[in-house]
Amino acid sequence: MGLTGILPLLALLSFFFWVTSRAVHRNWRNQRVAFLQIVMFGQLAFCIYGTANLVLESPFLASLFWTLMGLGLRMVRMLDFDRSLREYNYGY
């Protein structure tokens, strides 16, 4: 992968964790934020497991890794949309 591959990967991972942690902070009143926290900690577990094991390069674990990242980013958008609708309707 080299330097040209690790830098975009680290940028994408830091973006994912930054966006999800901010979404957890913004939507702490919502009960569904627990699912986003589970996805975030699952992604962190994949990252820790991947540093110690090269099996993460297999297509089976890699597909779970990228699916979990996509699911987390989609959950952030859904939580923010739900919060914006609530603020628009109820004013808080």
Side-chain angles (χ1 to χ4, degrees), residues 7-68:
L7 290 178
L9 178 65
L10 289 177
L12 184 64
L13 284 173
S14 62
F15 172 76
F16 173 78
F17 286 116
W18 175 258
V19 168
T20 54
S21 63
R22 288 188 58 196
V24 166
H25 180 69
R26 275 192 311 266
N27 299 299
W28 67 273
R29 291 184 185 179
N30 196 337
Q31 295 176 355
R32 295 184 197 116
V33 80
F35 295 115
L36 181 59
Q37 289 174 331
I38 291 169
V39 168
M40 189 171 70
F41 290 132
Q43 191 69 23
L44 183 65
F46 268 124
C47 290
I48 291 170
Y49 180 73
T51 59
N53 194 350
L54 295 177
V55 179
L56 189 63
E57 295 176 359
S58 76
F60 304 112
L61 289 176
S63 65
L64 291 175
F65 178 85
W66 292 111
T67 301
L68 199 61

Side-chain angles (χ1 to χ4, degrees), residues 56-91:
L56 189 63
E57 295 176 359
S58 76
F60 304 112
L61 289 176
S63 65
L64 291 175
F65 178 85
W66 292 111
T67 301
L68 199 61
M69 184 172 288
L71 180 69
L73 292 174
R74 179 65 180 155
M75 288 173 76
V76 167
R77 290 191 60 184
M78 290 175 70
L79 283 171
D80 286 342
F81 181 69
D82 186 41
R83 183 178 51 86
S84 68
L85 284 179
R86 228 181 299 128
E87 287 176 357
Y88 178 74
N89 287 332
Y90 301 116

